[in-house]
Amino acid sequence: MTHVFHRNPQHTLKQAVRGQGISLFDQEGRQYLDASGGAAVSCLGHGHPDVIAAIKAQLDQVAYAHSSFFTTQVCEDLADFLVSRAPGDLDHVYFVSGGSEAVEAALKLARQYFVERGETQRSQFIARRQSYHGNTLGALAIGGNAWRREPFLPMLAPAHHVSPCYPYRDQRPDETEEQYASRLADELEQKILEIGPDRVAAFVAETVVGATAGALAPVRTYLQRVREVCDRHGVLLILDEVMSGMGRTGHLYACAEDGVAPDILAIAKGLGAGYQPIGAMLASRRIYDTIVNGSGFFQHGHTYMGHATACAAALAVQRVIERDGLLANVLARGEQLRARLREVFADHPNIGDVRGRGLFVGVEFVRDRADKSVLDPALKTHAKLKRQAMENGLMMYPMGGTIDGVHGDHVLLAPPFICTAADIDEIVARLDRTVRQVLPV
């Protein structure tokens, strides 16, 4: 019997008792390759000695000091590290405990920015269908994950949604990537005009869509076109890199690959690699100065913001990634992973698409590759794949409702940045075995 209110109380979970490298071990000694980093979190794997040493050293100094009384050197150092490598004029960091909190803070900052400017009518947010921005009420309200939103719709603030950048499903055969990007940007602009340009506060998007649609990367010029539309109408661009950021795509900030800088950026997961709970919101100089020179106070806050031990863990994680050149490994192993997946599944009629950037890879399943028709949702193929993968000693992150919240199945792979070529081959071998057990050819 357990007194823990687990996320799915009807399922009995094994106990994780040890982590080493890219593997976790249960109470029976069984090994599981962590090919998803949990939920794209454990970018340095498990038990990294440098991070553990940094946490211990911080505990010997000060574990926690409330941010209304003190700052700490490690908090300042982590902010300096992130800002010095950030795109555009993102130059101030607001630390929180996770991704949902980071997005929630971004929404409230966007709103307060316009209040401070006297544009109090700007209260509307636009996001995309098949997006996910967190489970707190504000983040859930702007998110486009229909299944997560549905029970709480009466409690959610109104939000507006436009099409995702989903080339596998939505790019027309007669369209170039640039034309497809322009069509989506035009749709966003029409939505802004429909709502009223002076009423829209921000457009919110995952740089690379994560769990809801399975590593959907934007086509060339998409984010640049979106940035132009936002600038034309005075709308802030908020990018959610909670899952895709902090090196997951091979770039510390995923949007750097697109040559775009947002006004506000949300990060988490890979920031602290799971060693401590931490997330952050980065704000542009213009927004920060507006608050400082206006009311002088961001009307928001959490008990554990700027937590010293969490900051120490995150700073150690980021220093290891940079010192060991792991972003180059992410790019190389990501290319290997996608190439091997396409190779081993070349003959499989139920593999529709292999996509992603870096070590952020999605595999979309279909009934028939030729016409991209979907598997029957009642089969819950994604759940079967997860169960079978665990039997095969493989952890991956599956989801149903890939296309519209009901139809479509995919799995997300986000292995640690420390993976070797041999590790990638073993991950693919176990996934291949799993898929053919669940969906025999």
Side-chain angles (χ1 to χ4, degrees), residues 84-354:
S84 67
R85 293 153 181 80
D89 67 342
L90 296 172
D91 73 347
H92 281 81
V93 187
Y94 190 92
F95 290 112
V96 291
S97 298
S100 295
E101 286 186 15
V103 172
E104 204 82 10
L107 299 176
K108 292 179 75 174
L109 180 62
R111 170 58 181 166
Q112 185 173 336
Y113 166 74
F114 285 114
V115 170
E116 302 261 1
R117 286 169 52 92
E119 298 181 66
T120 56
Q121 76 282 2
R122 286 192 185 262
S123 62
Q124 302 299 300
F125 290 85
I126 303 172
R128 300 184 297 187
R129 294 187 292 276
Q130 291 309 98
S131 62
Y132 178 64
H133 297 291
N135 258 334
T136 51
L137 289 178
L140 196 61
I142 62 161
N145 186 307
W147 172 75
R148 293 181 188 270
R149 285 165 50 88
E150 197 278 331
F152 308 103
L153 284 174
M155 302 170 64
L156 302 182
H160 308 271
H161 295 91
V162 293
S163 298
C165 187
Y166 195 167
Y168 174 66
R169 292 279 173 188
D170 297 340
Q171 184 178 345
R172 295 195 297 254
D174 63 342
E175 278 183 317
T176 64
E177 287 192 353
E178 289 79 5
Q179 289 169 332
Y180 178 46
S182 294
R183 177 160 63 88
L184 292 174
D186 290 344
E187 180 187 348
L188 172 61
E189 185 155 37
Q190 287 305 308
K191 179 61 71 173
I192 292 172
L193 293 172
E194 172 191 318
I195 298 166
D198 65 339
R199 297 181 61 230
V200 179
F203 175 59
V204 187
E206 295 164 278
T207 304
V208 180
V209 179
T212 297
L216 278 182
V219 297
R220 290 190 302 271
T221 74
Y222 169 75
L223 285 177
Q224 294 173 15
R225 291 300 313 279
V226 162
R227 174 81 265 184
E228 292 167 5
V229 170
C230 290
D231 289 345
R232 193 151 52 239
H233 299 288
V235 172
L236 298 179
L237 175 60
I238 300 174
L239 289 182
D240 176 349
E241 296 194 356
V242 167
M243 189 172 262
S244 64
M246 294 293 95
R248 176 54 59 189
T249 65
H251 298 263
L252 188 62
Y253 297 98
C255 59
E257 185 170 346
D258 300 278
V260 169
D263 300 293
I264 302 175
L265 182 73
I267 55 175
K269 296 187 185 292
L271 173 60
Y275 287 88
Q276 290 282 284
I278 189 169
M281 172 193 70
L282 282 74
S284 71
R285 185 175 306 113
R286 169 171 57 107
I287 294 175
Y288 177 82
D289 287 347
T290 297
I291 302 298
V292 171
N293 296 327
S295 67
F297 175 72
F298 179 29
Q299 198 166 324
H300 188 56
H302 292 283
T303 298
Y304 296 117
M305 56 185 286
H307 194 285
T309 310
C311 288
L315 184 58
V317 167
Q318 298 310 314
R319 284 175 170 167
V320 167
I321 291 171
E322 192 166 273
R323 181 197 70 196
D324 295 350
L326 292 181
L327 296 188
N329 192 58
V330 170
L331 291 171
R333 299 286 73 77
E335 288 288 342
Q336 177 194 358
L337 177 55
R338 289 187 296 278
R340 289 287 296 130
L341 288 169
R342 288 168 182 146
E343 180 183 347
V344 301
F345 291 129
D347 67 336
H348 204 297
N350 300 122
I351 303 299
D353 193 28
V354 175

Side-chain angles (χ1 to χ4, degrees), residues 22 33-46 209-211 214-215 242-245 247-249 269-270 273 330 333-334 337-338 341 355-363 394-398 410-419 424 427 431:
I22 70 165
L33 291 183
D34 189 358
S36 61
V41 173
S42 301
C43 57
L44 285 187
H46 305 277
V209 179
V242 167
M243 189 172 262
S244 64
R248 176 54 59 189
T249 65
K269 296 187 185 292
V330 170
R333 299 286 73 77
L337 177 55
R338 289 187 296 278
L341 288 169
R355 55 180 177 251
R357 290 180 179 178
L359 284 174
F360 197 41
V361 176
V363 180
L394 179 70
M395 295 166 58
M396 59 187 190
Y397 202 74
H410 71 266
V411 297
L412 188 68
L413 300 174
F417 300 175
I418 60 174
C419 278
I424 296 297
I427 287 168
L431 179 60

Side-chain angles (χ1 to χ4, degrees), residues 37-107:
V41 173
S42 301
C43 57
L44 285 187
H46 305 277
H48 198 289
D50 292 26
V51 184
I52 293 170
I55 292 171
K56 289 179 177 178
Q58 186 61 45
L59 290 174
D60 286 337
Q61 297 176 34
V62 56
Y64 164 73
H66 195 280
S67 58
S68 69
F69 296 96
F70 294 101
T71 186
T72 59
Q73 189 60 54
V74 71
C75 178
E76 300 291 334
D77 290 346
L78 179 58
D80 289 347
F81 183 99
L82 294 173
V83 166
S84 67
R85 293 153 181 80
D89 67 342
L90 296 172
D91 73 347
H92 281 81
V93 187
Y94 190 92
F95 290 112
V96 291
S97 298
S100 295
E101 286 186 15
V103 172
E104 204 82 10
L107 299 176

